[in-house]
Amino acid sequence: MHIDKGRRIKLSDLFTGAARFEIELSATGPGLTIDFACFGLDAAGTLSDDRYMTFFNQPSTPCAGVTMTPAPINAMGLACDLDRLPPSIDRLVLTAAIDGAGTMSELQCGHVRLLRNGQEIGKFAFTGADFLAERALMLAEIYRRDGAWRLGATGQGFNGGMEALVRHFGASVADESALRPAPGPDFSKRLNLEKRVALEAPQLVSLVKKATLSLEKVGLGAHRAKVCLVLDISGSMAKLYGSGLVQAFAERILALACRFDDDGEIDVFLFGRNVHQPEAMTLANCNNYVRKLTQLHPLEGDTRYGVAMEAVRQFYFPPNGASERTPDLSASSLPVYVMFVTDGGTSDKSFTEKQVRAASHEPIFWQFMGIGKGRKSRSKKLSMFADSDFPFLEKLDDLSGRLIDNAGFFSVSSPDEYADGDLYDLMMAQYPAWLKLAQQHGLLH
């Protein structure tokens, strides 16, 4: 059904049964970047609970009544279940706003489509000819009236951008900060990354939010770093790889990287008897990434921490000439956070100690995680001390002869032992203190 601008219609005239349907918002124009959002408003037309603003940085309402779904480029998909919305939400307003230069008069085309099980049941279309210098649009609204849900094709221009819409709906300035990713050198890259996560790897959206909360707790909400994952591929890891637990853990680390950097990827190293550096894990290839790794690099005998650490160090900070003592630190404006995962001891202990001591002069932090029966954590929040299966990793955590303390350690009985938020808390237990020391000793710009 074609729906004209200004028309209001009962949803029951479009479909019958449960109030579940899909929405597709689209707007395209040369050189325009459009951000979409759905505002859940109360009876006074106010965003009284900012958790009911659904957009790329907050892809679902708490009740799951409105949830983002994969959509084409320059579009936003939403799955709606109106019966899940609390009585306090009286209206859903669908909006579009320009990020960057341009006005809505430059739009080539746009639409609001209602779908049921993928089949279109109603469509409101518009073009730039409908607008002038506006930079935001209130496209349509779904609202309660006389006990029934209705659709209104609003098509109303708005002079400000997304932040002005937030103000219009009564949110505070503090609420507006959620519209922007953590500040960094390039805002547009961070913004695009948030969108890419929602579209390319939606399973990471919740993980990214939980990583964000943990980082904000320790004052690192705006922190930037490179992230590296080092995985043990010795034969004893076979069950962990086969069960999918290593894949799930790698996705948690990729989500952390999406908060630490704007490239949406992590460097990966594998070690057993030898060291391998496969292609980086990215949003585009993260599904089944670990399974493909083990096909290319079968599990090996032996476990050598030191050779893996040396490979990581030389990758990020290659030596100047022949001297390992004078690495090239030109990239030291960004620290490197290394997540080092193993389920056993190493056969090159002295060489490993040498690597840890040498790396203490570089802007690189080693977070060791041992997978075994015993558990040990230095987190005050998660202080569970038991006999650890990893006395050597404990020794590295307290190793003498270093410029600064550049390593942390905790052990788990399984990679999925901790809930996501608790795992991120553990991972941040010692890193903030290292950052301060690294800055004090001139390792970071």
Side-chain angles (χ1 to χ4, degrees):
M1 174 187 291
H2 175 73
I3 302 173
D4 294 325
K5 179 179 179 180
R7 184 175 179 183
R8 297 182 177 272
I9 184 172
K10 290 182 179 180
L11 292 185
S12 59
D13 292 339
L14 296 174
F15 59 86
T16 58
R20 292 194 294 270
F21 56 94
E22 303 89 51
I23 298 174
E24 182 182 272
L25 308 178
S26 177
T28 60
L32 296 181
T33 299
I34 308 293
D35 291 330
F36 300 96
C38 174
F39 291 85
L41 309 180
D42 59 23
T46 299
L47 183 68
S48 54
D49 186 340
D50 64 286
R51 296 177 302 164
Y52 283 85
M53 177 184 173
T54 307
F55 66 120
F56 63 87
N57 212 21
Q58 187 164 268
S60 179
T61 60
C63 63
V66 180
T67 303
M68 283 183 62
T69 59
I73 297 174
N74 300 321
M76 178 188 200
L78 295 170
C80 298
D81 187 346
L82 300 181
D83 289 338
R84 287 177 171 267
L85 293 174
S88 59
I89 300 300
D90 198 63
R91 183 178 304 257
L92 302 176
V93 179
L94 308 171
T95 70
I98 292 175
D99 174 32
T103 66
M104 289 299 180
S105 64
E106 300 171 55
L107 288 175
Q108 291 178 329
C109 59
H111 64 249
V112 178
R113 297 174 67 212
L114 266 67
L115 306 101
R116 196 85 186 277
N117 300 321
Q119 299 296 315
E120 183 180 300
I121 55 178
K123 181 177 181 179
F124 164 50
F126 54 90
T127 69
D130 299 317
F131 310 105
L132 295 174
E134 298 96 330
R135 290 178 45 77
L137 302 175
M138 288 184 276
L139 298 172
E141 57 182 354
I142 296 167
Y143 60 99
R144 302 180 199 258
R145 176 69 59 84
D146 299 328
W149 285 98
R150 302 169 185 255
L151 168 70
T154 312
Q156 178 183 344
F158 199 88
N159 288 331
M162 186 64 75
E163 292 185 9
L165 279 171
V166 172
R167 290 193 187 95
H168 176 75
F169 291 127
S172 67
V173 174
D175 294 328
E176 293 173 29
S177 64
L179 294 171
R180 296 181 292 275
D186 192 329
F187 173 82
S188 63
K189 286 185 178 180
R190 172 67 69 187
L191 183 68
N192 290 333
L193 179 61
E194 298 282 359
K195 296 178 182 177
R196 285 179 54 207
V197 171
L199 294 174
E200 298 178 33
Q203 74 273 21
L204 300 185
V205 170
S206 176
L207 292 174
V208 172
K209 292 180 69 174
K210 290 172 182 176
T212 300
L213 290 175
S214 291
L215 294 176
E216 289 176 346
K217 289 179 187 176
V218 293
L220 298 181
H223 179 63
R224 298 187 71 237
K226 298 295 294 182
V227 176
C228 175
L229 176 61
V230 182
L231 293 173
D232 184 344
I233 57 167
S234 60
S236 58
M237 291 280 291
K239 288 185 179 179
L240 294 173
Y241 280 101
S243 66
L245 289 173
V246 178
Q247 169 70 31
F249 184 80
E251 290 183 0
R252 295 162 107 181
I253 304 305
L254 180 58
L256 175 67
C258 288
R259 288 301 305 135
F260 268 171
D261 206 353
D262 54 30
D263 60 5
E265 65 179 46
I266 52 176
D267 299 310
V268 177
F269 288 79
L270 311 174
F271 72 98
R273 176 182 295 107
N274 303 303
V275 180
H276 313 275
Q277 186 182 6
E279 66 175 336
M281 185 178 187
T282 70
L283 295 176
N285 70 9
C286 63
N287 294 325
N288 298 316
Y289 176 84
V290 170
R291 179 179 61 81
K292 294 175 183 177
L293 278 191
T294 53
Q295 291 174 346
L296 292 171
H297 303 285
L299 302 186
E300 303 175 353
D302 205 354
T303 306
R304 301 180 180 181
Y305 300 171
V307 292
M309 297 182 72
E310 180 184 46
V312 172
R313 290 181 55 226
Q314 291 187 356
F315 175 73
Y316 289 108
F317 309 109
N320 273 329
S323 174
E324 188 184 73
R325 297 183 181 180
T326 56
D328 179 3
L329 300 182
S330 59
S332 59
S333 58
L334 279 185
V336 181
Y337 183 99
V338 179
M339 188 71 209
F340 195 105
V341 179
T342 183
D343 76 335
T346 183
S347 61
D348 61 353
K349 290 183 178 179
S350 61
F351 189 63
T352 299
E353 292 181 12
K354 177 182 177 182
Q355 294 302 314
V356 174
R357 290 189 176 101
S360 71
H361 296 266
E362 300 163 353
I364 184 167
F365 179 81
W366 305 87
Q367 179 61 67
F368 295 102
M369 185 180 85
I371 304 174
K373 295 179 181 178
R375 301 184 302 178
K376 184 169 184 178
S377 164
R378 292 199 169 193
S379 166
K380 292 180 180 179
K381 177 182 177 182
L382 300 169
S383 56
M384 296 179 295
F385 289 88
D387 292 335
S388 172
D389 291 344
F390 302 94
F392 182 66
L393 287 180
E394 291 185 49
K395 178 181 179 181
L396 295 182
D397 194 5
D398 295 317
L399 191 65
S400 61
R402 292 176 292 173
L403 175 66
I404 58 175
D405 183 353
N406 61 340
F409 164 68
F410 63 88
S411 62
V412 296
S413 59
S414 173
D416 64 347
E417 178 177 356
Y418 290 109
D420 300 322
D422 291 339
L423 176 69
Y424 290 128
D425 287 349
L426 273 174
M427 291 173 61
M428 292 299 111
Q430 293 177 258
Y431 181 63
W434 171 82
L435 281 173
K436 293 180 180 178
L437 290 173
Q439 291 168 347
Q440 291 170 4
H441 286 80
L443 302 183
L444 292 171
H445 297 326

